[in-house]
Amino acid sequence: MINQVTLVGRLTRDPELQFTSDDKTVLNFTLALNRFGKAKRHEQDADFIPCVIWGKRAEEMTHYCDKGTLIGVVGELQTRSYLNKEEKRVFVVEVLARKIRYLSSNRENLKEKESSIKENNKKEITETINDG
């Protein structure tokens, strides 16, 4: 049987490292993948794919990735279940990431951050002038 998934997408939020009770590192993240709608070829939809990665690779992602970073993921599908607060069983399908490729350069990420900061500063200055 073959269980292999290859995805390229952007992170939907900044990665936050977590630790299990036995001190293992884990990172849950979601990839946004563009796809074209069936009805209109020029209209884009997105799929949001939950992923998990463990150990050193999880730690590396926190250093090299931010929200919006373009990455490639190679892994496998896994299913699991747990009981929620209402004692109902919840089933999860996610990608267990084995390899990560960083497709956005740090320079691109830095430019995007700087651009975002400049836009926010312009907005704050404009609001201050209009309020004053």
Side-chain angles (χ1 to χ4, degrees):
M1 300 284 179
I2 296 174
N3 180 2
Q4 184 171 345
V5 176
T6 303
L7 304 169
V8 174
R10 295 192 181 274
L11 293 178
T12 61
R13 65 178 188 276
D14 287 340
E16 294 180 29
L17 201 60
Q18 297 177 334
F19 298 90
T20 63
S21 58
D22 55 347
D23 222 25
K24 292 181 181 178
T25 52
V26 62
L27 177 65
N28 291 290
F29 61 97
T30 302
L31 273 187
L33 311 172
N34 288 336
R35 67 177 156 89
F36 288 94
K38 293 178 183 175
K40 298 178 182 175
R41 294 210 180 254
H42 301 291
E43 190 175 306
Q44 280 190 349
D45 290 325
D47 289 314
F48 299 91
I49 310 298
C51 302
V52 63
I53 192 165
W54 292 85
K56 281 189 174 184
R57 290 181 195 97
E59 294 173 24
E60 288 172 359
M61 277 191 68
T62 62
H63 295 293
Y64 297 114
C65 297
D66 297 316
K67 178 181 177 179
T69 301
L70 183 66
I71 63 171
V73 174
V74 176
E76 57 203 49
L77 282 179
Q78 74 175 8
T79 59
R80 61 184 173 87
S81 65
Y82 63 92
L83 291 177
N84 66 10
K85 292 177 184 176
E86 293 84 33
E87 296 296 316
K88 291 186 177 183
R89 182 143 317 268
V90 176
F91 292 91
V92 178
V93 177
E94 61 194 356
V95 173
L96 176 59
R98 300 287 186 196
K99 294 180 184 177
I100 300 292
R101 297 269 180 179
Y102 303 104
L103 303 175
S104 290
S105 71
N106 286 339
R107 190 174 286 164
E108 284 178 18
N109 290 341
L110 185 58
K111 284 182 184 178
E112 288 176 14
K113 283 183 186 178
E114 288 175 351
S115 176
S116 175
I117 290 169
K118 286 179 184 176
E119 286 300 315
N120 286 338
N121 287 343
K122 284 181 186 177
K123 189 183 291 184
E124 288 175 9
I125 291 170
T126 304
E127 289 172 358
T128 304
I129 292 171
N130 290 338
D131 291 342

